[in-house]
Amino acid sequence: MDIKLERASYIYPNSSINSYESLRNINISIEAGKWISVIGHTGSGKSTLMKLLKGLIAPTTGHLLINGRVNELSKKGKAQIISDIGLVFQYPEHQLFETTVLKDLVFGPKNQGIEMKEVNQRAKEMIKLVGLSEEYFQKAPLQLSGGEKRRVAIATVLMMNPEVLILDEPTAGLDPLGSKLILQLIHDWYKAGGGHRTVIFVTHEMNEVAEYSDEVLVMNNGEIAFLDSPLSLFLNHDYELKEFGLDTPDTVKLLQLIEQRFGDYIKVESLQEEVVLREVIAYFKKQGAEV
Amino acid sequence: MIENVLIGQFIDASSIFHRLDPRSKLISLFCIIIAFLLIDNISGYILASLLVVGCITLSQIPLRFFLKGLKPILIILAFTVFYHILFTKGENLLFQYSILSIYKESIIEGFSIVLRIFLLVLITSLLTLTTKPLDLAHGFEILCKPLKRLRFPVEQFSLMLAITLRFIPTIVMELDKIIEAQKARGVNFEDKSFVKKVLSYIPIIIPLLFTSIQRAENLANAIDARAYGDGSGRTRYKVLHFENRDYQVIGISLLVVGVFFLLRMVGG
Amino acid sequence: MLSFDNVSFAYGQHLVLKNISLQINKGEFLAIVGPNGSGKSNLSKLANGLIQPHLGKVLVDGVITQMPKSLREIRRLVGLIFQNPEDQFITTTVFDEVIFGLENIGVDPDKMKSIAEDALKKVEMLSYKGLEPHKLSGGQKQRVAIAAILAMKPKYIVFDESTAMLDPEGRQNIITLMQQLHTEGITIIHITHHMEEVLVATRVLVLKDGLIVADGTPASIFNNNIESNELEVPLALKLKQRLRSTGIKVPEQVMTLEGVVDYLWTSS
């Protein structure tokens, strides 16, 4: 599924508490099959943009295009939820409300009117995908640990079989192991789509950005500042990112430190930790050999 | 959604009402409410309306903020009028059709009750619009001090009041978030049937309840961690002082009660 | 000194802390790490008497926290900053928030204003003094919470995952502030999941399943416990390990990327 925003803006009413989260002149095209990370300081408009893409709010001006077609309702300024896009809010476990995990899982697809047989089949797949067993079906969401609740909450969205998955800081507040599990499950879901699934991933963790993304979208003051590959963004625009109050991944810091000290820029094909470590070690081995 | 919440809507200005001690405002409001409840004739209503219009003008707050406070009770008011017109009996029959009969007195009564509620809501809004919620809670706390002898937890009650006002915007924002999230999970709020409509709110209410309980627990910890204890042995930064104007306003309020009492005795 | 003597704490049948003994000396910057549910938060609440141990005792400067009479003083001495910025903002403005604690510990009202303003200046929030919480970012609210604690002149401040809900800029501000307070003589206890925040500490405690599984300097913890404790290992340490395994002996105490690169530069 291709998503496009053309000259879109979203202005909150003046009296609204969220008014600083307004968006201006957003032009963006998201092709199917990409993993896009979204970064920006608090209040830069990230959350508003996610709601706009999901169709929870209609753009004040401009259009949202799905597979090249303008949404008819959005022309009239009305919001229409796009069911093929899954949106996982911040702290999604706060939205669990049923007495059992299974009931919460089937809630979404049931609202969509999907046949129970199909829904139950999906529940079995999804609980496995998020690394839990069917024994969890009859547990109360409240009994689960923080990390488990988060995984169930993400599964409730995956149950609706989206083509695009938007996640707003899905690892916030979790311990390193919990975060790793979440990232892994999202990645598994993404890969299982065979290049047709899209992930839009809002985060403050630059190391997560470096590890997973094809492209990085940088929001600043309600506008898109950059949309670029991680490699080019972090190596060429680190100064601007600092201005926006954003950090760079550790791998970038390492490459830059080596460049400053040794005057050599080590060429890497990505900013993933494993790739950078490999190149850096190879570089120093060579250095050692020369000495 | 947040715009529709009226409670605790303090509007800053520098009118006489803003400068008054919250205690004198509370006492005066109490007097005025009694005075308005004493009204039983047309001259009383005219005088009360003039008084309210005068106060609103003096408050320097735009009329629309007062009218906003009336909006939620409009349906109740309309209902009251119809109820009185249709069901109370009088002497001067104006209109009759089968079992339906309308009297002149019932029309007058219906409208006077509505007018009275109108005036009471407006004068109460004057208090909440010109007083910061915390000051109000503080004034309330001092006025209720005598109740402490009856073991009524006055300080805790006042803190509770203040926190409730403080957290209304937070809870409303939370509510917005939950509604959006459940909409994203396919909840349809536009369903016409009543039962379905009520059911569709369960996914909203339960999460809101849970997060609010969690919030309350966190807040209780935060209050304890700042050494609140049982509220005893505290000092207060703001010490309320009665100025001349406070005595004057209370005096005027008592006078108003007297005037309305006389009007009732004398009759219209 | 903050000391835990054979402390156990349980929720119902579930033991959260198992016979913990721990001394935290004045002037330390202690980081506590460990997976969710390892008992870190309970440790922080025990430190200022928000909860009481079921076995053993907690002493703050020699005073036992079980004594109801000394609780107010203990809570003044041990400030606690929580995770959620919204849920620890009790009052309606930045200034009132700092005043609240001062009132609780019975400070002379005439001195409150200058104490509160000094504390707000320290966290660079003085110019926001009249603002309401919903107009502040998470990081700003956390700074106000720190000011509210600082105004009470604490000797210890416990940060219970206080950086977890902040953006990178907000987080960095809080870390810098912690370091500044530490150099001014306040003992800092920082519970966190972020390993780069651990590196600024003088001592690290690793908690798992209610037990202290490691206690030492950041260097010793990371060099010895890298695989075992489910900790996120910073890139600098991974690089160091890899270099060591290829024969480049980067010294143990080097903990940062800068340190590693500098070492390589000077030794080449």
Side-chain angles (χ1 to χ4, degrees), chain A residues 42 91 175-176 204-205 250 254 257 261-262 273-274 281 284, chain C residues 35-36 165 167-168 193-194 235 238-239 242 257 262 264-265:
Chain A
T42 311
Y91 301 95
D175 59 16
H204 286 313
E205 304 292 334
D250 289 339
L254 176 60
L257 279 166
R261 275 297 188 195
F262 294 83
E273 200 174 74
E274 207 37 57
I281 298 287
F284 283 117
Chain C
N36 290 340
M165 294 175 84
D167 65 7
H193 289 310
H194 282 88
L235 183 65
K238 283 184 189 158
L239 178 62
R242 293 272 189 106
L257 288 173
D262 278 350
L264 291 167
W265 174 244

PDB file of all heavy atoms in Angstrom, chain A residues 42 91 175-176 204-205 250 254 257 261-262 273-274 281 284, chain C residues 35-36 165 167-168 193-194 235 238-239 242 257 262 264-265:
ATOM      1  N   THR A  42       9.802  16.394  21.367  1.00  0.00           N
ATOM      2  CA  THR A  42       8.429  16.382  21.858  1.00  0.00           C
ATOM      3  C   THR A  42       7.703  17.607  21.309  1.00  0.00           C
ATOM      4  O   THR A  42       8.222  18.710  21.375  1.00  0.00           O
ATOM      5  CB  THR A  42       8.411  16.440  23.405  1.00  0.00           C
ATOM      6  OG1 THR A  42       9.303  15.461  23.879  1.00  0.00           O
ATOM      7  CG2 THR A  42       7.016  16.207  23.940  1.00  0.00           C
ATOM      8  N   TYR A  91       2.219   3.592  24.896  1.00  0.00           N
ATOM      9  CA  TYR A  91       1.706   2.795  26.016  1.00  0.00           C
ATOM     10  C   TYR A  91       0.383   2.119  25.643  1.00  0.00           C
ATOM     11  O   TYR A  91      -0.635   2.328  26.282  1.00  0.00           O
ATOM     12  CB  TYR A  91       1.540   3.666  27.272  1.00  0.00           C
ATOM     13  CG  TYR A  91       2.829   4.293  27.698  1.00  0.00           C
ATOM     14  CD1 TYR A  91       3.170   5.574  27.296  1.00  0.00           C
ATOM     15  CD2 TYR A  91       3.742   3.586  28.466  1.00  0.00           C
ATOM     16  CE1 TYR A  91       4.387   6.137  27.644  1.00  0.00           C
ATOM     17  CE2 TYR A  91       4.949   4.137  28.827  1.00  0.00           C
ATOM     18  CZ  TYR A  91       5.264   5.417  28.416  1.00  0.00           C
ATOM     19  OH  TYR A  91       6.468   5.954  28.763  1.00  0.00           O
ATOM     20  N   ASP A 175      12.366  -2.477  29.826  1.00  0.00           N
ATOM     21  CA  ASP A 175      13.779  -2.735  30.068  1.00  0.00           C
ATOM     22  C   ASP A 175      14.433  -3.226  28.774  1.00  0.00           C
ATOM     23  O   ASP A 175      13.739  -3.526  27.798  1.00  0.00           O
ATOM     24  CB  ASP A 175      13.969  -3.709  31.243  1.00  0.00           C
ATOM     25  CG  ASP A 175      13.280  -5.041  31.011  1.00  0.00           C
ATOM     26  OD1 ASP A 175      12.923  -5.337  29.856  1.00  0.00           O
ATOM     27  OD2 ASP A 175      13.085  -5.782  31.976  1.00  0.00           O
ATOM     28  N   PRO A 176      15.779  -3.280  28.736  1.00  0.00           N
ATOM     29  CA  PRO A 176      16.459  -3.612  27.474  1.00  0.00           C
ATOM     30  C   PRO A 176      15.964  -4.905  26.846  1.00  0.00           C
ATOM     31  O   PRO A 176      15.750  -4.972  25.638  1.00  0.00           O
ATOM     32  CB  PRO A 176      17.924  -3.729  27.893  1.00  0.00           C
ATOM     33  CG  PRO A 176      18.045  -2.854  29.090  1.00  0.00           C
ATOM     34  CD  PRO A 176      16.734  -2.936  29.805  1.00  0.00           C
ATOM     35  N   HIS A 204      12.575   7.652  20.019  1.00  0.00           N
ATOM     36  CA  HIS A 204      13.623   8.570  20.479  1.00  0.00           C
ATOM     37  C   HIS A 204      14.977   7.879  20.533  1.00  0.00           C
ATOM     38  O   HIS A 204      15.973   8.507  20.834  1.00  0.00           O
ATOM     39  CB  HIS A 204      13.296   9.083  21.885  1.00  0.00           C
ATOM     40  CG  HIS A 204      12.193  10.087  21.915  1.00  0.00           C
ATOM     41  ND1 HIS A 204      12.154  11.151  21.051  1.00  0.00           N
ATOM     42  CD2 HIS A 204      11.106  10.206  22.706  1.00  0.00           C
ATOM     43  CE1 HIS A 204      11.071  11.876  21.312  1.00  0.00           C
ATOM     44  NE2 HIS A 204      10.417  11.317  22.308  1.00  0.00           N
ATOM     45  N   GLU A 205      14.967   6.571  20.290  1.00  0.00           N
ATOM     46  CA  GLU A 205      16.203   5.798  20.425  1.00  0.00           C
ATOM     47  C   GLU A 205      16.925   5.740  19.087  1.00  0.00           C
ATOM     48  O   GLU A 205      16.546   4.996  18.193  1.00  0.00           O
ATOM     49  CB  GLU A 205      15.887   4.368  20.893  1.00  0.00           C
ATOM     50  CG  GLU A 205      15.109   4.272  22.180  1.00  0.00           C
ATOM     51  CD  GLU A 205      15.919   4.741  23.383  1.00  0.00           C
ATOM     52  OE1 GLU A 205      17.168   4.665  23.331  1.00  0.00           O
ATOM     53  OE2 GLU A 205      15.298   5.188  24.368  1.00  0.00           O
ATOM     54  N   ASP A 250      25.080   5.701  18.235  1.00  0.00           N
ATOM     55  CA  ASP A 250      26.442   5.468  18.731  1.00  0.00           C
ATOM     56  C   ASP A 250      27.396   5.113  17.602  1.00  0.00           C
ATOM     57  O   ASP A 250      28.561   5.512  17.619  1.00  0.00           O
ATOM     58  CB  ASP A 250      26.429   4.332  19.767  1.00  0.00           C
ATOM     59  CG  ASP A 250      25.777   4.761  21.059  1.00  0.00           C
ATOM     60  OD1 ASP A 250      25.706   5.984  21.311  1.00  0.00           O
ATOM     61  OD2 ASP A 250      25.317   3.888  21.821  1.00  0.00           O
ATOM     62  N   LEU A 254      30.971   6.864  16.779  1.00  0.00           N
ATOM     63  CA  LEU A 254      32.236   6.129  16.676  1.00  0.00           C
ATOM     64  C   LEU A 254      32.966   6.464  15.371  1.00  0.00           C
ATOM     65  O   LEU A 254      34.149   6.788  15.372  1.00  0.00           O
ATOM     66  CB  LEU A 254      31.971   4.616  16.769  1.00  0.00           C
ATOM     67  CG  LEU A 254      33.179   3.707  16.574  1.00  0.00           C
ATOM     68  CD1 LEU A 254      34.248   3.980  17.628  1.00  0.00           C
ATOM     69  CD2 LEU A 254      32.770   2.237  16.609  1.00  0.00           C
ATOM     70  N   LEU A 257      34.378   9.946  15.569  1.00  0.00           N
ATOM     71  CA  LEU A 257      35.544  10.044  16.461  1.00  0.00           C
ATOM     72  C   LEU A 257      36.806   9.545  15.758  1.00  0.00           C
ATOM     73  O   LEU A 257      37.874  10.151  15.856  1.00  0.00           O
ATOM     74  CB  LEU A 257      35.306   9.217  17.726  1.00  0.00           C
ATOM     75  CG  LEU A 257      34.465   9.871  18.810  1.00  0.00           C
ATOM     76  CD1 LEU A 257      34.021   8.833  19.832  1.00  0.00           C
ATOM     77  CD2 LEU A 257      35.241  10.987  19.505  1.00  0.00           C
ATOM     78  N   ARG A 261      40.188  11.732  14.866  1.00  0.00           N
ATOM     79  CA  ARG A 261      41.500  11.356  15.390  1.00  0.00           C
ATOM     80  C   ARG A 261      42.465  10.926  14.289  1.00  0.00           C
ATOM     81  O   ARG A 261      43.602  11.370  14.222  1.00  0.00           O
ATOM     82  CB  ARG A 261      41.336  10.198  16.389  1.00  0.00           C
ATOM     83  CG  ARG A 261      41.003  10.624  17.794  1.00  0.00           C
ATOM     84  CD  ARG A 261      42.139  11.434  18.336  1.00  0.00           C
ATOM     85  NE  ARG A 261      41.967  11.718  19.753  1.00  0.00           N
ATOM     86  CZ  ARG A 261      42.656  12.633  20.381  1.00  0.00           C
ATOM     87  NH1 ARG A 261      43.551  13.351  19.738  1.00  0.00           N
ATOM     88  NH2 ARG A 261      42.463  12.840  21.670  1.00  0.00           N
ATOM     89  N   PHE A 262      41.983  10.023  13.458  1.00  0.00           N
ATOM     90  CA  PHE A 262      42.863   9.376  12.494  1.00  0.00           C
ATOM     91  C   PHE A 262      42.785   9.987  11.104  1.00  0.00           C
ATOM     92  O   PHE A 262      43.577   9.648  10.236  1.00  0.00           O
ATOM     93  CB  PHE A 262      42.543   7.871  12.412  1.00  0.00           C
ATOM     94  CG  PHE A 262      42.854   7.120  13.671  1.00  0.00           C
ATOM     95  CD1 PHE A 262      41.955   7.099  14.730  1.00  0.00           C
ATOM     96  CD2 PHE A 262      44.060   6.452  13.814  1.00  0.00           C
ATOM     97  CE1 PHE A 262      42.244   6.410  15.887  1.00  0.00           C
ATOM     98  CE2 PHE A 262      44.369   5.761  14.977  1.00  0.00           C
ATOM     99  CZ  PHE A 262      43.457   5.747  16.026  1.00  0.00           C
ATOM    100  N   GLU A 273      24.933  -1.826  14.006  1.00  0.00           N
ATOM    101  CA  GLU A 273      26.033  -2.038  14.928  1.00  0.00           C
ATOM    102  C   GLU A 273      27.036  -3.073  14.419  1.00  0.00           C
ATOM    103  O   GLU A 273      28.244  -2.835  14.410  1.00  0.00           O
ATOM    104  CB  GLU A 273      25.433  -2.494  16.260  1.00  0.00           C
ATOM    105  CG  GLU A 273      26.337  -2.311  17.427  1.00  0.00           C
ATOM    106  CD  GLU A 273      25.595  -2.651  18.706  1.00  0.00           C
ATOM    107  OE1 GLU A 273      25.356  -3.844  18.968  1.00  0.00           O
ATOM    108  OE2 GLU A 273      25.240  -1.715  19.425  1.00  0.00           O
ATOM    109  N   GLU A 274      26.505  -4.218  13.995  1.00  0.00           N
ATOM    110  CA  GLU A 274      27.360  -5.327  13.565  1.00  0.00           C
ATOM    111  C   GLU A 274      28.230  -4.909  12.382  1.00  0.00           C
ATOM    112  O   GLU A 274      29.430  -5.186  12.344  1.00  0.00           O
ATOM    113  CB  GLU A 274      26.461  -6.529  13.195  1.00  0.00           C
ATOM    114  CG  GLU A 274      27.086  -7.888  13.340  1.00  0.00           C
ATOM    115  CD  GLU A 274      28.026  -8.027  14.532  1.00  0.00           C
ATOM    116  OE1 GLU A 274      27.623  -7.781  15.701  1.00  0.00           O
ATOM    117  OE2 GLU A 274      29.189  -8.366  14.274  1.00  0.00           O
ATOM    118  N   ILE A 281      36.816  -2.811  13.303  1.00  0.00           N
ATOM    119  CA  ILE A 281      37.831  -3.781  13.722  1.00  0.00           C
ATOM    120  C   ILE A 281      38.805  -4.065  12.571  1.00  0.00           C
ATOM    121  O   ILE A 281      40.026  -4.074  12.761  1.00  0.00           O
ATOM    122  CB  ILE A 281      37.157  -5.105  14.184  1.00  0.00           C
ATOM    123  CG1 ILE A 281      36.263  -4.879  15.396  1.00  0.00           C
ATOM    124  CG2 ILE A 281      38.209  -6.178  14.465  1.00  0.00           C
ATOM    125  CD1 ILE A 281      36.965  -4.623  16.694  1.00  0.00           C
ATOM    126  N   PHE A 284      41.247  -1.227  12.264  1.00  0.00           N
ATOM    127  CA  PHE A 284      42.317  -1.174  13.263  1.00  0.00           C
ATOM    128  C   PHE A 284      43.285  -2.349  13.120  1.00  0.00           C
ATOM    129  O   PHE A 284      44.451  -2.238  13.451  1.00  0.00           O
ATOM    130  CB  PHE A 284      41.744  -1.094  14.678  1.00  0.00           C
ATOM    131  CG  PHE A 284      41.251   0.292  15.011  1.00  0.00           C
ATOM    132  CD1 PHE A 284      39.919   0.538  15.275  1.00  0.00           C
ATOM    133  CD2 PHE A 284      42.152   1.361  15.007  1.00  0.00           C
ATOM    134  CE1 PHE A 284      39.473   1.811  15.558  1.00  0.00           C
ATOM    135  CE2 PHE A 284      41.706   2.651  15.296  1.00  0.00           C
ATOM    136  CZ  PHE A 284      40.368   2.870  15.558  1.00  0.00           C
TER     137      PHE A 284
ATOM    138  N   PRO C  35      16.285  -5.693  35.300  1.00  0.00           N
ATOM    139  CA  PRO C  35      15.057  -5.815  34.501  1.00  0.00           C
ATOM    140  C   PRO C  35      13.812  -5.347  35.250  1.00  0.00           C
ATOM    141  O   PRO C  35      13.837  -5.215  36.473  1.00  0.00           O
ATOM    142  CB  PRO C  35      14.977  -7.314  34.206  1.00  0.00           C
ATOM    143  CG  PRO C  35      15.932  -7.982  35.126  1.00  0.00           C
ATOM    144  CD  PRO C  35      16.953  -6.987  35.515  1.00  0.00           C
ATOM    145  N   ASN C  36      12.726  -5.088  34.502  1.00  0.00           N
ATOM    146  CA  ASN C  36      11.452  -4.733  35.119  1.00  0.00           C
ATOM    147  C   ASN C  36      11.075  -5.815  36.113  1.00  0.00           C
ATOM    148  O   ASN C  36      11.257  -6.996  35.843  1.00  0.00           O
ATOM    149  CB  ASN C  36      10.342  -4.635  34.065  1.00  0.00           C
ATOM    150  CG  ASN C  36      10.524  -3.433  33.155  1.00  0.00           C
ATOM    151  OD1 ASN C  36      11.233  -2.495  33.512  1.00  0.00           O
ATOM    152  ND2 ASN C  36       9.901  -3.469  31.998  1.00  0.00           N
ATOM    153  N   MET C 165      10.514   8.624  30.449  1.00  0.00           N
ATOM    154  CA  MET C 165       9.456   9.118  29.565  1.00  0.00           C
ATOM    155  C   MET C 165       9.843  10.399  28.832  1.00  0.00           C
ATOM    156  O   MET C 165       8.986  11.070  28.273  1.00  0.00           O
ATOM    157  CB  MET C 165       8.171   9.342  30.381  1.00  0.00           C
ATOM    158  CG  MET C 165       7.599   8.031  30.915  1.00  0.00           C
ATOM    159  SD  MET C 165       6.175   8.264  31.981  1.00  0.00           S
ATOM    160  CE  MET C 165       4.856   8.399  30.783  1.00  0.00           C
ATOM    161  N   ASP C 167      12.188  12.887  26.069  1.00  0.00           N
ATOM    162  CA  ASP C 167      12.901  12.808  24.799  1.00  0.00           C
ATOM    163  C   ASP C 167      14.395  13.035  25.080  1.00  0.00           C
ATOM    164  O   ASP C 167      14.775  13.406  26.181  1.00  0.00           O
ATOM    165  CB  ASP C 167      12.302  13.756  23.750  1.00  0.00           C
ATOM    166  CG  ASP C 167      12.454  15.230  24.115  1.00  0.00           C
ATOM    167  OD1 ASP C 167      13.141  15.521  25.115  1.00  0.00           O
ATOM    168  OD2 ASP C 167      11.903  16.062  23.409  1.00  0.00           O
ATOM    169  N   PRO C 168      15.260  12.751  24.060  1.00  0.00           N
ATOM    170  CA  PRO C 168      16.703  12.767  24.333  1.00  0.00           C
ATOM    171  C   PRO C 168      17.181  14.078  24.965  1.00  0.00           C
ATOM    172  O   PRO C 168      18.010  14.077  25.864  1.00  0.00           O
ATOM    173  CB  PRO C 168      17.326  12.579  22.948  1.00  0.00           C
ATOM    174  CG  PRO C 168      16.280  11.901  22.145  1.00  0.00           C
ATOM    175  CD  PRO C 168      14.963  12.379  22.681  1.00  0.00           C
ATOM    176  N   HIS C 193      17.297   2.337  32.880  1.00  0.00           N
ATOM    177  CA  HIS C 193      17.575   1.248  31.948  1.00  0.00           C
ATOM    178  C   HIS C 193      18.622   1.664  30.925  1.00  0.00           C
ATOM    179  O   HIS C 193      19.033   0.863  30.099  1.00  0.00           O
ATOM    180  CB  HIS C 193      16.308   0.855  31.179  1.00  0.00           C
ATOM    181  CG  HIS C 193      15.302   0.165  32.025  1.00  0.00           C
ATOM    182  ND1 HIS C 193      15.621  -0.894  32.820  1.00  0.00           N
ATOM    183  CD2 HIS C 193      13.981   0.382  32.212  1.00  0.00           C
ATOM    184  CE1 HIS C 193      14.544  -1.308  33.458  1.00  0.00           C
ATOM    185  NE2 HIS C 193      13.542  -0.546  33.114  1.00  0.00           N
ATOM    186  N   HIS C 194      19.009   2.920  30.953  1.00  0.00           N
ATOM    187  CA  HIS C 194      19.920   3.418  29.918  1.00  0.00           C
ATOM    188  C   HIS C 194      21.361   3.314  30.375  1.00  0.00           C
ATOM    189  O   HIS C 194      21.781   3.983  31.304  1.00  0.00           O
ATOM    190  CB  HIS C 194      19.579   4.859  29.559  1.00  0.00           C
ATOM    191  CG  HIS C 194      18.398   4.951  28.682  1.00  0.00           C
ATOM    192  ND1 HIS C 194      17.125   5.034  29.184  1.00  0.00           N
ATOM    193  CD2 HIS C 194      18.277   4.920  27.339  1.00  0.00           C
ATOM    194  CE1 HIS C 194      16.272   5.057  28.177  1.00  0.00           C
ATOM    195  NE2 HIS C 194      16.934   4.985  27.045  1.00  0.00           N
ATOM    196  N   LEU C 235      27.899   0.400  23.105  1.00  0.00           N
ATOM    197  CA  LEU C 235      28.755   0.118  21.951  1.00  0.00           C
ATOM    198  C   LEU C 235      30.242   0.159  22.325  1.00  0.00           C
ATOM    199  O   LEU C 235      31.021  -0.675  21.865  1.00  0.00           O
ATOM    200  CB  LEU C 235      28.442   1.121  20.832  1.00  0.00           C
ATOM    201  CG  LEU C 235      29.205   0.919  19.527  1.00  0.00           C
ATOM    202  CD1 LEU C 235      28.815  -0.388  18.868  1.00  0.00           C
ATOM    203  CD2 LEU C 235      28.952   2.076  18.570  1.00  0.00           C
ATOM    204  N   LYS C 238      31.324  -3.126  23.676  1.00  0.00           N
ATOM    205  CA  LYS C 238      31.376  -4.180  22.652  1.00  0.00           C
ATOM    206  C   LYS C 238      32.642  -4.018  21.819  1.00  0.00           C
ATOM    207  O   LYS C 238      33.333  -4.985  21.526  1.00  0.00           O
ATOM    208  CB  LYS C 238      30.145  -4.087  21.740  1.00  0.00           C
ATOM    209  CG  LYS C 238      28.893  -4.637  22.384  1.00  0.00           C
ATOM    210  CD  LYS C 238      27.744  -4.600  21.404  1.00  0.00           C
ATOM    211  CE  LYS C 238      26.445  -4.930  22.116  1.00  0.00           C
ATOM    212  NZ  LYS C 238      25.274  -4.434  21.385  1.00  0.00           N
ATOM    213  N   LEU C 239      32.921  -2.770  21.474  1.00  0.00           N
ATOM    214  CA  LEU C 239      34.108  -2.482  20.664  1.00  0.00           C
ATOM    215  C   LEU C 239      35.354  -2.915  21.422  1.00  0.00           C
ATOM    216  O   LEU C 239      36.254  -3.551  20.860  1.00  0.00           O
ATOM    217  CB  LEU C 239      34.144  -0.979  20.352  1.00  0.00           C
ATOM    218  CG  LEU C 239      35.349  -0.476  19.557  1.00  0.00           C
ATOM    219  CD1 LEU C 239      35.403  -1.123  18.188  1.00  0.00           C
ATOM    220  CD2 LEU C 239      35.312   1.041  19.415  1.00  0.00           C
ATOM    221  N   ARG C 242      35.754  -6.675  21.442  1.00  0.00           N
ATOM    222  CA  ARG C 242      36.184  -7.172  20.134  1.00  0.00           C
ATOM    223  C   ARG C 242      37.674  -6.887  19.902  1.00  0.00           C
ATOM    224  O   ARG C 242      38.409  -7.738  19.404  1.00  0.00           O
ATOM    225  CB  ARG C 242      35.392  -6.489  19.008  1.00  0.00           C
ATOM    226  CG  ARG C 242      33.941  -6.839  18.996  1.00  0.00           C
ATOM    227  CD  ARG C 242      33.700  -8.100  18.161  1.00  0.00           C
ATOM    228  NE  ARG C 242      32.273  -8.265  18.001  1.00  0.00           N
ATOM    229  CZ  ARG C 242      31.624  -8.023  16.863  1.00  0.00           C
ATOM    230  NH1 ARG C 242      32.272  -7.660  15.786  1.00  0.00           N
ATOM    231  NH2 ARG C 242      30.321  -8.162  16.808  1.00  0.00           N
ATOM    232  N   LEU C 257      33.334   5.657  24.089  1.00  0.00           N
ATOM    233  CA  LEU C 257      33.861   5.601  22.722  1.00  0.00           C
ATOM    234  C   LEU C 257      35.073   6.508  22.598  1.00  0.00           C
ATOM    235  O   LEU C 257      36.085   6.130  22.006  1.00  0.00           O
ATOM    236  CB  LEU C 257      32.772   6.029  21.730  1.00  0.00           C
ATOM    237  CG  LEU C 257      31.630   5.037  21.512  1.00  0.00           C
ATOM    238  CD1 LEU C 257      30.552   5.669  20.653  1.00  0.00           C
ATOM    239  CD2 LEU C 257      32.143   3.750  20.876  1.00  0.00           C
ATOM    240  N   ASP C 262      40.685   7.346  21.733  1.00  0.00           N
ATOM    241  CA  ASP C 262      41.883   8.035  22.228  1.00  0.00           C
ATOM    242  C   ASP C 262      43.004   7.049  22.543  1.00  0.00           C
ATOM    243  O   ASP C 262      44.171   7.288  22.220  1.00  0.00           O
ATOM    244  CB  ASP C 262      41.547   8.836  23.510  1.00  0.00           C
ATOM    245  CG  ASP C 262      40.912  10.171  23.168  1.00  0.00           C
ATOM    246  OD1 ASP C 262      40.921  10.532  21.969  1.00  0.00           O
ATOM    247  OD2 ASP C 262      40.394  10.835  24.077  1.00  0.00           O
ATOM    248  N   LEU C 264      43.476   4.131  21.250  1.00  0.00           N
ATOM    249  CA  LEU C 264      44.017   3.592  20.005  1.00  0.00           C
ATOM    250  C   LEU C 264      44.950   4.608  19.343  1.00  0.00           C
ATOM    251  O   LEU C 264      45.980   4.249  18.778  1.00  0.00           O
ATOM    252  CB  LEU C 264      42.873   3.225  19.053  1.00  0.00           C
ATOM    253  CG  LEU C 264      42.025   2.035  19.498  1.00  0.00           C
ATOM    254  CD1 LEU C 264      40.759   1.968  18.685  1.00  0.00           C
ATOM    255  CD2 LEU C 264      42.826   0.738  19.377  1.00  0.00           C
ATOM    256  N   TRP C 265      44.580   5.878  19.440  1.00  0.00           N
ATOM    257  CA  TRP C 265      45.377   6.932  18.816  1.00  0.00           C
ATOM    258  C   TRP C 265      46.729   7.058  19.502  1.00  0.00           C
ATOM    259  O   TRP C 265      47.767   7.091  18.848  1.00  0.00           O
ATOM    260  CB  TRP C 265      44.596   8.246  18.892  1.00  0.00           C
ATOM    261  CG  TRP C 265      45.362   9.449  18.413  1.00  0.00           C
ATOM    262  CD1 TRP C 265      45.738  10.523  19.152  1.00  0.00           C
ATOM    263  CD2 TRP C 265      45.835   9.692  17.093  1.00  0.00           C
ATOM    264  NE1 TRP C 265      46.403  11.419  18.390  1.00  0.00           N
ATOM    265  CE2 TRP C 265      46.494  10.939  17.110  1.00  0.00           C
ATOM    266  CE3 TRP C 265      45.779   8.964  15.891  1.00  0.00           C
ATOM    267  CZ2 TRP C 265      47.075  11.484  15.984  1.00  0.00           C
ATOM    268  CZ3 TRP C 265      46.373   9.512  14.763  1.00  0.00           C
ATOM    269  CH2 TRP C 265      47.001  10.749  14.807  1.00  0.00           C
TER     270      TRP C 265
END
